[in-house]
Amino acid sequence: MKFCSECASPVSLKIPAGDNRPRYVCDSCAAIHYQNPKMVLGTVPVWEQDGELKVLLCKRAIEPRYGYWTLPAGFMENDETTGEAALRETREEAGANVTLGKLYTLLNVARVHQVHMFYLATLQDLDFAPGEESLDVQMFSESEIPWEDLAFPTIQTTLELFFADRVKIREGGDYGFHTQDLTRPMRSDADTK
């Protein structure tokens, strides 16, 4: 940050009185500009028929990770709840109508200043289509998931937890709530070629 969004004067990085970390502070009006993690919200949209469960994934039409598969998710907007953001992103990226279930994963990705949250969701129908940010939208069973072509570690982690919980459900358990701190870096495109 170089300029104050309040008065357009230059800002300096310093520790304000009563604080414990550097912040951008306006040299003119003294406004403190806090920068906080961004929230990424999405769903794990599923369809189960005749005992076969499939998950809806989107192939990214934008960077980062153009052409890689992801769960429908994106940045939360102001004036939204986390559930509203997850539903909106699912409609925008996959054209899918879902019934929102419980919050399933909360994944801290501190190195990129983000928190990713995924809700369980049930597709209301199979009427879905790629949105502007998706090249393709497809249903995958566990064995069909393109594991090597998943866009982000948060997507892989959420799907791994989901399918592990499915095993527990068959044994009489339930979906848990999972929270993790992800520190592993994202694979580069060169690593996958």
Side-chain angles (χ1 to χ4, degrees):
M1 183 173 199
K2 294 182 181 185
F3 300 100
C4 178
S5 58
E6 301 293 321
C7 72
S9 295
V11 296
S12 300
L13 194 59
K14 54 185 152 190
I15 299 174
D19 206 335
N20 62 2
R21 62 188 65 210
R23 312 279 185 188
Y24 288 105
V25 179
C26 179
D27 297 330
S28 180
C29 73
I32 302 169
H33 299 279
Y34 296 93
Q35 295 181 320
N36 303 103
K38 295 197 178 286
M39 309 292 284
V40 173
L41 274 295
T43 62
V44 182
V46 300
W47 179 266
E48 190 166 8
Q49 187 171 10
D50 300 326
E52 183 180 29
L53 181 126
K54 292 195 173 194
V55 176
L56 185 70
L57 297 179
C58 305
K59 190 177 226 182
R60 291 177 61 82
I62 59 172
E63 292 293 352
R65 308 296 282 164
Y66 178 94
Y68 285 81
W69 291 94
T70 185
L71 290 165
F75 291 111
M76 183 175 175
E77 299 289 350
N78 289 334
D79 298 322
E80 277 186 322
T81 66
T82 56
E84 289 169 343
L87 287 171
R88 177 185 51 76
E89 287 291 341
T90 302
R91 281 190 304 272
E92 286 179 2
E93 294 191 4
N97 296 309
V98 296
T99 301
L100 203 61
K102 68 180 186 175
L103 183 60
Y104 183 62
T105 57
L106 186 152
L107 305 167
N108 295 298
V109 194
R111 65 184 161 70
V112 293
H113 320 293
Q114 295 177 1
V115 177
H116 293 213
M117 290 185 254
F118 290 92
Y119 283 85
L120 296 174
T122 304
L123 287 159
Q124 295 174 2
D125 53 51
L126 295 177
D127 183 21
F128 52 82
E132 270 189 45
E133 296 181 1
S134 299
L135 296 169
D136 193 8
V137 182
Q138 290 184 33
M139 301 291 296
F140 294 93
S141 65
E142 180 179 10
S143 64
E144 297 168 332
I145 298 280
W147 294 103
E148 294 300 313
D149 291 325
L150 294 177
F152 307 107
T154 53
I155 303 305
Q156 181 169 341
T157 298
T158 297
L159 288 171
E160 287 170 349
L161 291 166
F162 177 78
F163 287 114
D165 278 357
R166 289 293 298 172
V167 171
K168 293 177 189 173
I169 287 170
R170 287 192 288 273
E171 298 167 355
D174 196 6
Y175 289 107
F177 171 69
H178 304 276
T179 182
Q180 289 185 18
D181 299 334
L182 295 187
T183 56
R184 70 179 184 244
M186 185 169 57
R187 290 187 319 243
S188 71
D189 291 338
D191 293 341
T192 60
K193 292 180 180 171

